Amino acid sequence: RKINMLNPLISIGITCYKSKDTIGNAINSAINQNWENKEIIIVDDFSNDGTVDFIKKIDFKNTAHKLIQHKSNKGFPSAINSLIRHSKGQFLCFFDHDDISDPERLNIQFSTLKKYIEKTGAKHVVCYASRIRSYENGFKKIMPAIGSKEKIPIGNDIINYHLSKRVARGIYFGSGTPSCSLFAPKYLFNLIGECDINLKRTVDCEIAIKLGEIGCHFIGCTDVLVNQLNTLSIHKTGLSNMESDYLLFNKFSKYLDKRSLKFLKLWSTVKGYYLSGLYFKGLIKLILLIIQFPLRSFLKIIKAGPSRIKHDIKINS
């Protein structure tokens, strides 16, 4: 592989589904990127709310662009696969349909990745952007990028992180590996293969784990480059997240013993019921989890519980 690091074509990928009210801001933030050599690839996953008609009326200001329309609703992983197949750039940057990216996002992420490669000689590198989540009630939360502080996660570090295995101390995982902040060389997606279309809610984790398997370096920008617009409800995706978690754990079960796999599924069930507002069912599963895994459960609850509850109070206040 040979990458043009002087002025490469960067593909901006945007997936959408029933996004008429938000897609305009996302596309305009892509058009307004201060990187001249770019293209915008939009994949609509069979919207029926006028999203496509809205997109067709947008003035792209001579920016190269392409709209791909799925003939049925296939889900987010399939939309990601379509983006990758249709993009022509040597680098690919993902924008969410309801996010607004800073005009300097492409410049900063490309520059950060380039400097890291020149400094370290690393073979495979991806770069994530720091984000800010903005809620309808005015609450805002800064989401620092993974790898934006020392120590940088490399290879198995990210596998262990996503599968809740022991990781070396001091590694900075920030706010994880969301695709909406990802900037990566296109060839990496050819190396790791297409996304699993069954992982509707955990495709971000799958991409990161597969990148980890080839020894990728996960770096990040300290600059807040993405504004995520979130709704107040926390009860939208709990059960679907839970089901997708199960599939992810089974897919990469080679990294887990049977006991760890059982713990992860139980913990995901507790979390899924909580996020779906099924608090009594969640409590029953939590008690079962504590009985079977007392120490591990205690450590997990102490680490994740208070911050989760505090966050949910703020976004619903």
Side-chain angles (χ1 to χ4, degrees), residues 124-143:
H124 306 313
V125 186
V126 295
C127 179
Y128 289 81
S130 293
R131 300 164 285 140
I132 184 169
R133 280 185 180 172
S134 301
Y135 293 87
E136 292 172 334
N137 66 348
F139 173 61
K140 297 180 184 294
K141 183 178 181 180
I142 300 295
M143 311 290 288

Side-chain angles (χ1 to χ4, degrees), residues 45-197:
D45 197 27
F46 200 61
S47 298
N48 58 6
D49 66 338
T51 296
V52 170
D53 290 336
F54 183 87
I55 292 171
K56 289 180 177 179
K57 294 177 182 177
I58 291 176
D59 179 6
F60 282 83
K61 301 176 182 178
N62 297 318
T63 301
H65 61 281
K66 181 184 295 185
L67 172 62
I68 294 96
Q69 296 176 246
H70 284 178
K71 295 182 179 179
S72 62
N73 182 246
K74 299 180 179 180
F76 183 53
S78 290
I80 289 291
N81 289 337
S82 292
L83 280 180
I84 294 168
R85 284 195 298 268
H86 287 89
S87 62
K88 297 179 180 178
Q90 288 194 293
F91 292 87
L92 183 56
C93 189
F94 296 94
F95 284 33
D96 263 10
H97 67 91
D98 54 356
D99 293 350
I100 300 173
S101 289
D102 186 278
E104 289 296 327
R105 179 178 171 187
L106 296 187
N107 275 309
I108 292 173
Q109 287 194 269
F110 173 77
S111 176
T112 301
L113 185 142
K114 181 181 178 182
K115 288 177 182 176
Y116 183 85
I117 292 176
E118 290 174 346
K119 178 181 177 181
T120 66
K123 186 177 181 182
H124 306 313
V125 186
V126 295
C127 179
Y128 289 81
S130 293
R131 300 164 285 140
I132 184 169
R133 280 185 180 172
S134 301
Y135 293 87
E136 292 172 334
N137 66 348
F139 173 61
K140 297 180 184 294
K141 183 178 181 180
I142 300 295
M143 311 290 288
I146 186 172
S148 56
K149 300 178 184 177
E150 293 288 353
K151 233 176 159 180
I152 305 296
I154 301 173
N156 286 337
D157 296 331
I158 207 72
I159 298 173
N160 295 340
Y161 167 75
H162 278 299
L163 299 179
S164 294
K165 298 179 69 177
R166 187 181 296 276
V167 295
R169 298 183 67 178
I171 296 177
Y172 189 69
F173 293 101
S175 53
T177 57
S179 61
C180 66
S181 68
L182 175 60
F183 180 95
K186 168 74 178 292
Y187 81 88
L188 287 176
F189 296 99
N190 297 326
L191 283 182
I192 66 176
E194 290 196 338
C195 302
D196 188 331
I197 61 173

Side-chain angles (χ1 to χ4, degrees), residues 185-226:
K186 168 74 178 292
Y187 81 88
L188 287 176
F189 296 99
N190 297 326
L191 283 182
I192 66 176
E194 290 196 338
C195 302
D196 188 331
I197 61 173
N198 297 307
L199 299 179
K200 305 293 186 183
R201 304 294 306 179
T202 51
V203 66
D204 296 354
C205 301
E206 183 208 15
I207 290 172
I209 290 172
K210 292 197 294 186
L211 288 170
E213 289 179 323
I214 62 172
C216 197
H217 293 227
F218 293 76
I219 67 171
C221 301
T222 56
D223 306 76
V224 176
L225 302 175
V226 180

